[in-house]
Amino acid sequence: MGGPPCHHRDPFHPSDPGSSQILLLKFATQMLVLFELFAYIWYFSIEFNFFFGRLVWWVLQKYQHGFLDALFSGLSCVVSVPFYTAFLPLLFWSGHARLARQMTLLIAFCDYVGNSIKDSVSAMRPSSPPVRRVTATKDEEDNALEYGVPSSHTLNTVCLSGYLLHYVLSYPQYEDASMKFVGVALVCLLVGLIGLGRIYLGMHSLVDVIGGLAIGLVILPFWITVHEYVDIFIVSGQNVTSFWAALSFLLLFAYPTPELPTPSIEYHTAFNGVAFGIVAGIQQTYHQFHHEAVPRIFTPQLTIPTFVGRMLLGIPTILLVKLCSKALAKWILPVVSNTLGIPIKSSGYIPNLNGNGKKSDEIKQSGFIQKLFFFSQQSTFDVDTGIRFLQYAGLAWSVVDLVPSLFSQVSL
């Protein structure tokens, strides 16, 4: 009872670290296949949505009730990106570091795939009116500004709840058939409620939800296949930080341009930064704070009062780091961009920057870095993207590096 926590070992855990790099390079191919599959699904679903989808929407919205508004709004908050952003640091600090880093990378991957498809297809959400739309939070109001297909809430719920179920069932004590049945039933119930809720709240059509479900069912088995290879590469690979920095930079540019501006690129940039910060921090501190033998919550080594102490110290620290990272990035990035001759603008973080258009045109003509790469194809670059990336990268790094170091200093 009082011994160290028992950790399971996956019998299918890969043993060749080099093969993880090959699988990571196959991501691009998988993405292209996914885009092509979705294009066919979208084409054949238009007529289906026109008839049956409108019928489902009419039936669901006919039964309006305050309880249903609260229920589906609450469920949407529980599976939203801000919730995962707040939940994942606690998962790291509870001792489940492997689960936390895998779920972080998975949601970043889902966010990129889902938002890329949204902005590529640029299919509008159901019009309100006539559709009754319920936006109970500021996050939901921002979500309503995005395009509709696929439903990110449905996609994320399928992938994250499915992966969590896979993780739990990999423990020997949960391998019996009854536990598997209960787990699968709960996941299906959650996904079904989320899908119905998105239609009831007027945020998505039936095709949006089906699209999110289909893409999630493609991503989930793919991630379960490669997640161990990815984990080995992160914790023991060579040049991991530099590789992930290059990948993050590439993903910032390998993003489609929608017909109209949406906040989807902002969400992608934020989780792209989070993924980079997690990977960079884990690389440096895996053997100190994130190996499989660290104490886990609900054990004598990590009691509830100790975990509460970690939250009270950790949450203000990461918020402070996020604030400082943003301020530092707002100061550094414009200076670096001007030095390299990259024309920039700011959509919100640095309003004074937009009044310097003449100087930006001069920089555009003389910038060597701009000519060396592909910058000449775009007149100016939004420096807010870089600021947001560094802000969330600093936040994620503090979760896995700075804050655990503070825990060790104060014996938490």
Side-chain angles (χ1 to χ4, degrees):
M1 293 291 293
C6 178
H7 305 295
H8 70 292
R9 177 179 177 85
D10 192 339
F12 300 103
H13 193 286
S15 58
D16 182 12
S19 60
S20 59
Q21 300 184 27
I22 299 175
L23 280 172
L24 286 175
L25 294 178
K26 291 182 179 179
F27 270 5
T29 304
Q30 296 286 342
M31 291 284 293
L32 291 175
V33 173
L34 189 60
F35 274 113
E36 184 176 0
L37 174 64
F38 185 78
Y40 283 110
I41 294 174
W42 173 249
Y43 176 79
F44 288 108
S45 64
I46 294 177
E47 294 297 327
F48 172 80
N49 185 55
F50 184 80
F51 294 103
F52 187 68
R54 291 184 178 221
L55 176 62
V56 172
W57 161 77
W58 180 80
V59 171
L60 286 176
Q61 291 223 324
K62 181 181 178 181
Y63 298 98
Q64 299 175 9
H65 194 278
F67 171 76
L68 294 178
D69 291 353
L71 172 65
F72 289 128
S73 296
L75 285 174
S76 295
C77 291
V78 169
V79 297
S80 64
V81 170
F83 173 81
Y84 291 125
T85 305
F87 170 72
L88 289 172
L90 305 184
L91 197 57
F92 274 106
W93 302 337
S94 69
H96 295 276
R98 187 164 74 102
L99 174 62
R101 60 180 176 264
Q102 284 298 316
M103 293 190 71
T104 302
L105 297 179
L106 177 57
I107 192 174
F109 185 52
C110 292
D111 186 77
Y112 175 74
V113 173
N115 287 345
S116 295
I117 295 176
K118 278 185 179 181
D119 286 349
S120 295
V121 177
S122 296
M124 302 300 294
R125 291 178 184 265
S127 299
S128 176
V131 172
R132 170 181 173 267
R133 179 170 294 162
V134 180
T135 53
T137 63
K138 179 63 169 60
D139 179 59
E140 282 286 79
E141 294 177 1
D142 293 339
N143 289 337
L145 301 177
E146 295 184 282
Y147 287 110
V149 58
S151 167
S152 296
H153 282 71
T154 306
L155 191 162
N156 293 339
T157 304
V158 170
C159 291
L160 294 175
S161 61
Y163 183 80
L164 179 61
L165 176 64
H166 167 77
Y167 179 85
V168 171
L169 294 181
S170 64
Y171 281 89
Q173 59 265 40
Y174 300 122
E175 286 183 345
D176 61 285
S178 60
M179 291 298 298
K180 292 181 179 180
F181 176 79
V182 171
V184 172
L186 289 176
V187 168
C188 292
L189 176 62
L190 178 61
V191 172
L193 288 175
I194 293 299
L196 291 175
R198 301 312 285 169
I199 300 174
Y200 174 86
L201 296 173
M203 297 296 290
H204 286 287
S205 68
L206 179 62
V207 167
D208 299 346
V209 173
I210 293 176
L213 177 64
I215 296 171
L217 292 176
V218 172
I219 293 178
L220 178 58
F222 169 71
W223 191 261
I224 290 176
T225 302
V226 305
H227 72 117
E228 292 289 1
Y229 295 94
V230 175
D231 202 59
I232 284 182
F233 175 68
I234 291 173
V235 303
S236 60
Q238 299 295 322
N239 303 316
V240 176
T241 302
S242 57
F243 171 83
W244 214 275
L247 178 63
S248 300
F249 182 80
L250 176 64
L251 291 178
L252 288 178
F253 286 93
Y255 189 87
T257 301
E259 292 185 6
L260 298 173
T262 71
S264 297
I265 180 63
E266 299 176 8
Y267 303 150
H268 158 61
T269 301
F271 257 98
N272 193 11
V274 167
F276 173 70
I278 292 295
V279 170
I282 291 292
Q283 260 282 298
Q284 299 297 319
T285 62
Y286 173 74
H287 295 290
Q288 292 94 332
F289 307 123
H290 304 292
H291 54 86
E292 287 299 291
V294 297
R296 295 185 175 179
I297 194 170
F298 304 124
T299 64
Q301 292 78 21
L302 182 55
T303 59
I304 295 296
T306 302
F307 182 68
V308 172
R310 288 188 172 190
M311 289 193 296
L312 294 177
L313 175 61
I315 292 176
T317 301
I318 64 175
L319 294 178
L320 179 62
V321 170
K322 179 185 176 183
L323 181 65
C324 294
S325 299
K326 180 179 179 180
L328 194 61
K330 289 171 63 176
W331 174 67
I332 292 178
L333 286 184
V335 174
V336 173
S337 299
N338 290 333
T339 301
L340 297 178
I342 302 175
I344 57 174
K345 64 179 180 179
S346 175
S347 58
Y349 284 154
I350 314 176
N352 296 333
L353 196 62
N354 298 327
N356 206 7
K358 183 177 180 181
K359 183 176 180 181
S360 295
D361 291 336
E362 295 173 355
I363 292 174
K364 180 183 175 183
Q365 295 177 0
S366 59
F368 171 74
I369 299 297
Q370 172 194 349
K371 296 175 182 177
L372 182 62
F373 296 103
F374 44 85
F375 297 142
S376 59
Q377 302 297 321
Q378 186 169 333
S379 58
T380 56
F381 289 85
D382 193 346
V383 73
D384 290 10
T385 299
I387 294 173
R388 187 173 292 106
F389 176 84
L390 294 178
Q391 174 186 0
Y392 281 91
L395 169 70
W397 167 82
S398 67
V399 168
V400 297
D401 193 332
L402 176 62
V403 170
S405 299
L406 295 178
F407 291 162
S408 66
Q409 293 295 322
V410 297
S411 301
L412 284 176

